[in-house]
Amino acid sequence: MDEMRIPAHSIEGRTALVTGAGSGIGKATAKLLAQSGARVGLVSLTEEELEETRHEILKGGGEAFIAVADVSDPPAMERVLQQIRDQWDRLDIVVANAGINGLWAPIEEIPPEEWDRTLAVNLRGTFLTVRASLPLLKVRGGAVVIVSSVNGTRIFSNAGASAYAASKAGQAAFARMAALELAPHKIRVNTVCPGSIHTKIDDNTVRQDLEKIRPMVEFPQGNVPLTRGEPGTSGQVAELIWFLVSDASSHITGAEVFIDGGESLVQG
Ligand code: NAD
C-alpha cells in the first residue's frame, strides 16, 4: 500500500492565466492564486477593472500583469499568450472563467446574433483560451479549470436562459473531451459548476418577457439548502478552483464539481 502523506498544496512559482479577472469569480480566483505564490496573467474586457485587480494583488505582495482582450477573438487571445511567453515563458494554470448571461427570453424572441454572442463569449471563448494556452501548457503539464454553471448541467428550469445553458453544457462537454485528449501531456482539465453566486453578472443580464414562459420554480429565489436561500460567494468558488489547480487534486481530471449549496438538488 502507498505510504500516506500530507499533500504539499503549494502552487508557489507557478504561472496562471485567469480570464474574466476583472470581477466576481475571476477576480477572487486571481487574487487567491496570487496570494498562494502564483504569478497571474489577468484577462478581461476593460483596463479599469483589471487595474483594480492588479492593484489588489500587488498590495498583497503578489505578481500580475494585465491584458485587455475579448476571449472570443482568436488574434487577441494569441496576443495574450505571446505576452505570457515574453514575460514568464511558462504557463501551468489556466482558468477559463470569462462569461456573460446574455439575453434571457423566449426562444422566438432571441435574435440569432444574441444567441451567437452568448455562445461566442462563453463557449468559443473557452475553446480559444485553452487552444492558445496549449503550446505553453504542454511544456510541463498543468491544470485547466473551466467555469461552467449548474445551468445546462443540472438545472434547466431557468426560464429564457436557453443560449446560456447551451453554452454552459457545451463547456462541460468540451472539458471532458479535453481531459482525455490532454491527459498524455499531464494536463488536467476540470469543470466547476457554480449555483447562484453573488457577483456583478446579473447587472448585465437582459431579461425579456419571461412571464410568458416561467416554469413552476424560481431561480435564484428558490432554496439553497445549505444557506436557507443565500447565494454563495466568489471566494468560495475561488477556493474550489484553487484546489483543482493545486497538486492536492493531482489525480482528478474530467470532473464536474458542483458548488451550489445543494441548490441544484432541489431545482432540476
Ligand atoms: P462578472 O460579471 O462579475 O465577471 C465577469 C468577468 O468576465 C468580467 O471581468 C468581465 O469583464 C469579463 N468578460 C465578460 N465578457 C468577456 C469577454 N468577451 N472577454 C473577456 N472578458 C470578458 O461574472 P461572474 O459571476 O464572476 O461570472 C464568471 C463566470 O462564472 C461566468 O462564466 C459565469 O457564467 C459563471 N457563473 C456565474 C454564476 C453566478 O451566479 N455569478 C453562476 C454560475 C456560473
Side-chain angles (χ1 to χ4, degrees), residues 202-222:
D202 259 350
D203 302 353
N204 304 314
T205 310
V206 181
R207 294 185 166 80
Q208 184 178 300
D209 289 340
L210 296 182
E211 61 290 346
K212 291 186 190 163
I213 54 170
R214 202 171 291 288
M216 304 294 285
V217 292
E218 289 283 330
F219 178 94
Q221 284 82 4

Side-chain angles (χ1 to χ4, degrees), residues 93-116:
I93 293 167
V94 174
V95 182
N97 162 78
I100 55 169
N101 275 350
L103 171 65
W104 291 12
I107 291 167
E108 317 90 285
E109 295 181 26
I110 300 175
E113 309 75 58
E114 282 296 328
W115 173 275
D116 286 349

Side-chain angles (χ1 to χ4, degrees), residues 164-177:
Y164 181 75
S167 74
K168 294 286 150 184
Q171 284 181 303
F174 172 71
R176 290 190 192 190
M177 293 297 296

Side-chain angles (χ1 to χ4, degrees), residues 1 16 51 70 88 115 125 127 147 150 160 165 175 188-189 222 237:
M1 206 175 98
E51 279 297 0
D70 179 342
W88 297 322
W115 173 275
F127 158 68
V147 182
V150 290
R188 299 184 296 107
V189 184
V237 182

Side-chain angles (χ1 to χ4, degrees), residues 60-75:
E63 189 179 337
F65 79 83
I66 66 172
V68 175
D70 179 342
V71 290
S72 66
D73 178 13

Side-chain angles (χ1 to χ4, degrees), residues 66-186:
I66 66 172
V68 175
D70 179 342
V71 290
S72 66
D73 178 13
M77 289 314 290
E78 291 298 335
R79 280 196 296 275
V80 170
L81 267 294
Q82 188 56 49
Q83 241 178 296
I84 292 181
R85 232 175 258 121
D86 294 344
Q87 297 248 351
W88 297 322
D89 199 24
R90 161 176 190 151
L91 185 61
D92 309 281
I93 293 167
V94 174
V95 182
N97 162 78
I100 55 169
N101 275 350
L103 171 65
W104 291 12
I107 291 167
E108 317 90 285
E109 295 181 26
I110 300 175
E113 309 75 58
E114 282 296 328
W115 173 275
D116 286 349
R117 190 171 74 92
T118 302
L119 272 286
V121 177
N122 296 356
L123 185 53
R124 177 180 155 98
T126 296
F127 158 68
L128 291 176
T129 301
V130 173
R131 183 178 190 275
S133 301
L134 282 182
L136 269 184
L137 272 183
K138 280 183 175 177
V139 175
R140 296 183 178 75
V144 176
V145 171
I146 290 174
V147 182
S148 171
S149 172
V150 290
N151 287 290
T153 55
R154 261 191 182 172
I155 288 184
F156 299 90
S157 53
N158 219 340
S162 51
Y164 181 75
S167 74
K168 294 286 150 184
Q171 284 181 303
F174 172 71
R176 290 190 192 190
M177 293 297 296
L180 202 48
E181 181 175 326
L182 300 175
H185 299 279
K186 299 274 180 250

Side-chain angles (χ1 to χ4, degrees), residues 11 17-18 25-26 28-30 32-33 93-97 143-148 188 190-194 234-246 249 257 259:
I11 56 168
L17 169 65
V18 180
I25 294 168
T29 301
L32 184 59
L33 298 184
I93 293 167
V94 174
V95 182
N97 162 78
V144 176
V145 171
I146 290 174
V147 182
S148 171
R188 299 184 296 107
N190 291 294
T191 304
V192 302
C193 300
S234 295
Q236 288 172 316
V237 182
E239 285 172 359
L240 169 60
I241 294 174
W242 179 90
F243 166 73
L244 288 171
V245 301
S246 79
S249 61
V257 185
I259 172 158

